[in-house]
Amino acid sequence: MTIIQEIYQWSKTLSAWQQDAIARLYVNRELLPEDVEDIYALAKAEAGIPDEDGRVARKLESAEVAPQTNPTRLVQIVAVKDVQHVNALVPGGRLPISPTGLTVIYGENGAGKSGYSRIFKHACRARDRREPILPNARLDPKEVGTAQAVFEAIVDGTTVDFIWKHRTEPPLPLADISIFDTHCARAYIDNHGDFAYVPYGLDILEGLVTLCGKLRARVTKEKSDGSPSDAAYATLINQTTAVGRALSGVGKKTTAEEIEKLAALSDEDVARRDVLTKTLSEADPKTKAREIRNKGLRIKGLKTQIESKFVPVSVEKLKNLQELINKSNTAKKVAETAAEAFRSEPGQLAGTGDDEWKALFEAAREFAAISHVGHDISGLAADAKCPLCQNELGPEGAGRLGRFDAFIKDKFEQAAKDARNLAKEAFTAVKNAKLDITIDTAMKEELNALDAQLLPLCELSETRLKTRQTQALLASGGALDWDDVSAAENDATVRLGEVADALEAQAKTLEASADEVARAKLVAERAELDARHKLSEVKNAVLEAISKYEYCAKLQKCIDGTDTRGISRKSTELSRTLASKELADALNEELKKLKCHELEVFMKPESPGGRTQFKLTLQLPGSATPAAVLSEGEQRAIAIASFLAEIKLSGGRGGIVFDDPVSSLDHRRRWEVAERLVEESLKRQVIVFTHDIYFLCILEQKADELKAALQPNYIRRTADGFGAHAEGLPFDVLGTKNRVGRLRQMLVC
């Protein structure tokens, strides 16, 4: 595998943000500030710090990576044709290329060379594909389609058309074609001041190491700036309390939930802390305990009094009254039905059988017991005198008294009477109930001292009791619905009971404080409550510290993730297996062919900062570095030498494409580069894009000297678009003989 393929496979084992960085470095060879910002956010997100922008890491795709060159396959480009939507190139245009030897594609600036060169870079998976393929700016965006072209090629003697479409995986055989241009040259030159040749691919690891250094510095600073402080709760740390133990664990294992729980004091906790404070400050706890217990007994007495006041109007009592009244009314209706039958007898006065009549008869019964001792009113003889009119009864009168007595003693009438008596008794009990709550002045003062709400609650209870009593009487008479009788609320007794219990507990605590062992426990209990109280005051500072500790822990995870040792090991491994002495020798040979005699390459197996390098050393007196001495043109010559050395060692037979290879070179260096390219064209297909007429003429001369085939192509701008292929070269490129011939042709026309 090539170095880049090794890196691609190895990258799958890395974190997501490092894979994203490698993908960006592979495409752009360097990271822009916005790239670093994105990757920093991804690294933090991987450590558990959410990214507000929701960025997602990308990975280097296999389709982007140039595959291993096939040494048994020969791919020769014959033409690029059917071009569509590539810059402003002529739609459907065709650019012929010689399958062997040297093809030189000449065009002035702005003629369309860059459009064709970008097609080659993307289709052949060039090392640098940063230059975008843009649509024709003169077209309506709605009319713009996908950039595409067809490569007419010969593969092992067979003609094949390879269809290339932008942003889709290119045809695999086209990867055998290697591309060199200005950007590729920079991919080989170390711009860190050491001026070293880095084999293609290892510069990605160098860039990753540089990125890790930047991220480590940035995240370290962020962690330092956001370090938590324990100043707000320092006095509580390491106390022998639950709070002290929890605070000593802040930043380690203590959670925000634990702090929230410890800082949350209930009303009972607050009251208990007050009791302990008072208790432990008491000089004579036993005497104080007696006073408090007596106070509690008085409170209980008041509670008992109020509870007794609620009994007459309790839910049970009023429910019983309601039931008795209902039963009385029901019995009365039954008795009235029986009375109707009694009244229907002829010869009786109006109203006989009514309540007034019943009262009169009952009075007569009682009088008969006095006037006729030993005789019941129903058993008086006919000659006896009537208890009412005191005339002789006679047989008819005696019989009438008997019937009257039987009616009064009838079971329905008796049931109604009994029910009425029971209801009356219950009603009287409610009506006569004394509901005033007696609280003397001393008790009032005591209640106010204990709890300002106690006395108002007691007074409210009395008001509620009397209101309930009145409403119950109204409901008994039918003037109010029983459901509208107010509830029997008794908040006063509940609160009085709580206060009494608290006083009893306080008394017991005071008694216990007299014992040294028990007092020590009370002191410890108060210390716990005091610590929790103080914690509640600084809780927000503690929670903020926990949050910062958690955030810093995540930042530390980011810092750990920027460790470069694994990257350096991989770089060293690749240098030992792929960056061999054979490559160094090939590079030295290329430097000699390009007449860079003063330069020599030697291997440096170390990987400083993740960079495995072949250093370039000047064979000159002094200690100047190549970066300080070499010109831009000399650096370009070194880049070409590096490129050709790698092509040689790859073992592939595919062609090579140069885009303006002599940019920045002087006229003397142009001759050396031209000779080297013509020499290479004797072994493989070589394609050169240039706008330099002088360089074109040099290539023609060197091809003639070395007996190499050279096909010159001329592309120009026409009314149909850019990159239009024209037969023959422009007039000013031709030699004298060819110029005379061109002039004669023009005369004939």
Side-chain angles (χ1 to χ4, degrees):
M1 287 192 289
T2 63
I3 290 178
I4 191 61
Q5 288 172 326
E6 285 275 1
I7 292 174
Y8 166 64
Q9 293 298 331
W10 170 72
S11 71
K12 296 178 181 179
T13 66
L14 301 179
S15 60
W17 69 265
Q18 288 179 322
Q19 292 189 55
D20 184 279
I22 287 177
R24 294 175 191 246
L25 286 166
Y26 180 77
V27 173
N28 298 321
R29 318 312 296 177
E30 61 183 11
L31 297 174
L32 299 175
E34 52 265 33
D35 292 321
V36 176
E37 194 67 32
D38 289 343
I39 296 170
Y40 185 55
L42 291 172
K44 292 205 295 184
E46 199 161 337
I49 302 172
D51 175 24
E52 293 180 356
D53 295 330
R55 282 164 279 210
V56 179
R58 61 158 295 195
K59 299 179 181 179
L60 185 61
E61 301 296 336
S62 60
E64 299 178 80
V65 180
Q68 178 73 44
T69 301
N70 187 343
T72 65
R73 179 173 58 202
L74 176 59
V75 178
Q76 299 166 293
I77 304 299
V78 175
V80 178
K81 60 184 181 180
D82 297 336
V83 178
Q84 300 290 337
H85 307 296
V86 177
N87 295 8
L89 295 183
V90 176
R94 184 179 189 275
L95 178 65
I97 298 171
S98 174
T100 59
L102 177 63
T103 299
V104 182
I105 303 166
Y106 168 78
E108 295 86 359
N109 288 331
K113 296 188 312 301
S114 61
Y116 278 109
S117 69
R118 291 174 189 179
I119 293 175
F120 271 97
K121 290 176 187 177
H122 284 269
C124 301
R125 311 191 200 203
R127 300 173 176 186
D128 193 295
R129 287 170 256 172
R130 280 174 286 183
E131 292 180 314
I133 293 179
L134 302 174
N136 190 341
R138 298 181 179 180
L139 292 178
D140 186 328
K142 297 179 181 178
E143 299 177 9
V144 175
T146 302
Q148 56 186 304
V150 175
F151 282 80
E152 187 179 328
I154 300 174
V155 180
D156 295 331
T158 303
T159 301
V160 180
D161 279 354
F162 293 113
I163 300 174
W164 165 80
K165 290 187 177 182
H166 193 33
R167 294 190 177 87
T168 61
E169 185 171 358
L172 185 62
L174 292 181
D176 289 356
I177 308 298
S178 301
I179 314 292
F180 178 92
D181 72 350
T182 303
H183 294 301
C184 291
R186 285 202 295 268
Y188 289 93
I189 303 301
D190 181 359
N191 292 314
H192 294 272
D194 204 16
F195 207 84
Y197 160 63
V198 182
Y200 175 60
L202 290 184
D203 59 321
I204 293 178
L205 298 186
E206 177 183 347
L208 184 58
V209 167
T210 301
L211 170 67
C212 287
K214 290 180 179 179
L215 295 187
R216 175 179 284 268
R218 183 170 175 179
V219 72
T220 300
K221 184 178 185 306
E222 184 175 347
K223 180 184 176 185
S224 175
D225 293 344
S227 296
S229 171
D230 62 2
Y233 55 90
T235 57
L236 295 175
I237 299 176
N238 297 322
Q239 287 185 356
T240 56
T241 62
V243 170
R245 291 188 293 273
L247 292 179
S248 65
V250 168
K252 302 170 185 175
K253 61 180 181 179
T254 301
T255 64
E257 290 73 18
E258 292 177 72
I259 297 300
E260 289 280 8
K261 184 176 180 180
L262 283 171
L265 288 168
S266 65
D267 293 341
E268 290 77 10
D269 292 330
V270 173
R272 180 61 176 171
R273 177 171 172 265
D274 291 340
V275 166
L276 289 172
T277 300
K278 294 176 182 177
T279 298
L280 294 173
S281 63
E282 190 62 50
D284 187 359
K286 289 187 176 180
T287 301
K288 188 67 175 180
R290 283 195 297 272
E291 293 177 3
I292 291 174
R293 183 169 280 112
N294 290 335
K295 188 182 296 184
L297 291 174
R298 290 193 292 275
I299 296 298
K300 286 183 179 179
L302 177 58
K303 174 177 176 287
T304 301
Q305 179 195 166
I306 295 175
E307 286 175 339
S308 68
K309 300 296 183 182
F310 270 87
V311 172
V313 290
S314 66
V315 173
E316 292 77 12
K317 292 291 185 180
L318 295 191
K319 184 178 180 181
N320 180 60
L321 173 60
Q322 181 182 3
E323 291 175 350
L324 290 175
I325 290 174
N326 290 339
K327 288 180 180 179
S328 175
N329 291 335
T330 301
K332 181 178 180 181
K333 289 179 181 179
V334 173
E336 286 178 348
T337 301
E340 285 295 329
F342 175 72
R343 292 190 197 100
S344 63
E345 292 183 12
Q348 297 184 150
L349 295 174
T352 302
D354 290 344
D355 289 341
E356 294 81 2
W357 178 84
K358 292 176 182 176
L360 176 64
F361 188 79
E362 288 292 343
R365 184 198 302 279
E366 293 175 4
F367 179 69
I370 298 172
S371 60
H372 301 78
V373 178
H375 297 279
D376 187 80
I377 195 170
S378 60
L380 294 177
D383 57 353
K385 291 185 178 181
C386 175
L388 292 171
C389 65
Q390 297 190 14
N391 291 317
E392 187 175 318
L393 286 171
E396 184 178 350
R400 184 180 295 110
L401 285 177
R403 291 195 305 275
F404 286 171
D405 186 53
F407 169 72
I408 293 297
K409 292 180 178 179
D410 184 79
K411 62 179 181 178
F412 296 113
E413 186 63 25
Q414 189 61 43
K417 181 179 179 181
D418 293 342
R420 183 169 57 255
N421 290 336
L422 290 173
K424 182 178 180 180
E425 181 181 345
F427 176 82
T428 301
V430 172
K431 179 181 178 181
N432 296 334
K434 303 300 181 182
L435 303 180
D436 295 317
I437 298 175
T438 303
I439 305 176
D440 58 26
T441 303
M443 176 60 76
K444 288 181 179 179
E445 292 177 355
E446 199 165 56
L447 290 175
N448 287 329
L450 288 169
D451 186 339
Q453 296 300 316
L454 280 176
L455 182 58
L457 282 175
C458 293
E459 293 171 345
L460 179 61
S461 291
E462 181 177 322
T463 300
R464 287 175 174 174
L465 283 169
K466 292 181 177 180
T467 299
R468 183 172 171 81
Q469 180 186 42
T470 301
Q471 291 174 341
L473 296 177
L474 291 172
S476 298
L480 184 70
D481 193 286
W482 282 101
D483 291 336
D484 293 332
V485 176
S486 59
E489 296 180 9
N490 192 6
D491 297 336
T493 57
V494 174
R495 184 61 188 140
L496 287 168
E498 292 173 349
V499 171
D501 292 342
L503 290 171
E504 178 62 25
Q506 186 178 353
K508 290 181 179 179
T509 302
L510 280 165
E511 290 171 342
S513 68
D515 178 78
E516 290 187 6
V517 175
R519 185 179 183 84
K521 292 181 179 180
L522 295 177
V523 169
E525 184 183 356
R526 184 182 65 175
E528 291 285 351
L529 290 171
D530 282 344
R532 291 178 62 192
H533 173 72
K534 292 175 182 176
L535 176 62
S536 68
E537 296 176 338
V538 297
K539 181 185 72 172
N540 290 338
V542 177
L543 294 178
E544 182 182 357
I546 290 176
S547 178
K548 285 186 175 181
Y549 272 117
E550 291 174 349
Y551 190 80
C552 286
K554 293 174 182 177
L555 291 178
Q556 183 59 48
K557 188 176 179 181
C558 283
I559 294 173
D560 297 340
T562 60
D563 184 72
T564 59
R565 287 175 293 182
I567 305 172
S568 296
R569 284 194 297 270
K570 187 62 181 179
S571 186
T572 301
E573 174 192 335
L574 291 175
S575 72
R576 290 174 178 171
T577 57
L578 300 173
S580 62
K581 185 177 183 300
E582 183 182 9
L583 182 54
D585 292 341
L587 182 53
N588 280 325
E589 181 181 349
E590 291 297 336
L591 290 172
K592 289 178 181 178
K593 289 181 179 180
L594 292 173
K595 305 300 188 292
C596 298
H597 300 294
E598 71 278 13
L599 293 175
E600 182 182 357
V601 178
F602 70 92
M603 292 188 66
K604 182 179 181 181
E606 296 86 359
S607 300
R611 296 179 290 154
T612 301
Q613 305 178 119
F614 291 98
K615 291 188 68 67
L616 304 178
T617 303
L618 284 172
Q619 300 301 305
L620 295 173
S623 58
T625 63
V629 176
L630 294 179
S631 67
E632 185 179 348
E634 289 173 313
Q635 294 178 29
R636 170 54 71 93
I638 294 168
I640 294 174
S642 305
F643 176 77
L644 292 171
E646 287 191 40
I647 294 298
K648 177 182 178 181
L649 295 181
S650 69
R653 302 163 63 193
I656 52 179
V657 179
F658 288 86
D659 186 6
D660 275 332
V662 294
S663 175
S664 304
L665 297 183
D666 58 30
H667 69 282
R668 187 174 293 109
R669 188 75 68 183
R670 278 179 168 85
W671 284 91
E672 293 157 356
V673 171
E675 182 176 353
R676 180 65 189 89
L677 297 184
V678 171
E679 178 186 338
E680 189 67 23
S681 72
L682 297 173
K683 303 175 184 178
R684 68 179 77 239
Q685 181 184 36
V686 177
I687 304 169
V688 178
F689 288 91
T690 185
H691 68 281
D692 192 328
I693 291 178
Y694 179 56
F695 184 57
L696 172 57
C697 293
I698 296 173
L699 287 171
E700 286 183 319
Q701 183 172 331
K702 285 296 180 182
D704 186 58
E705 291 176 5
L706 298 176
K707 309 300 182 190
L710 185 148
Q711 175 182 314
N713 283 349
Y714 175 41
I715 58 175
R716 59 194 178 90
R717 177 179 181 180
T718 67
D720 295 329
F722 295 78
H725 177 254
E727 295 295 336
L729 293 173
F731 183 81
D732 49 2
V733 179
L734 301 176
T736 302
K737 181 179 179 180
N738 290 332
R739 287 186 179 188
V740 171
R742 178 73 62 84
L743 290 172
R744 285 175 177 170
Q745 287 178 359
M746 293 171 66
L747 285 173
V748 172
C749 296

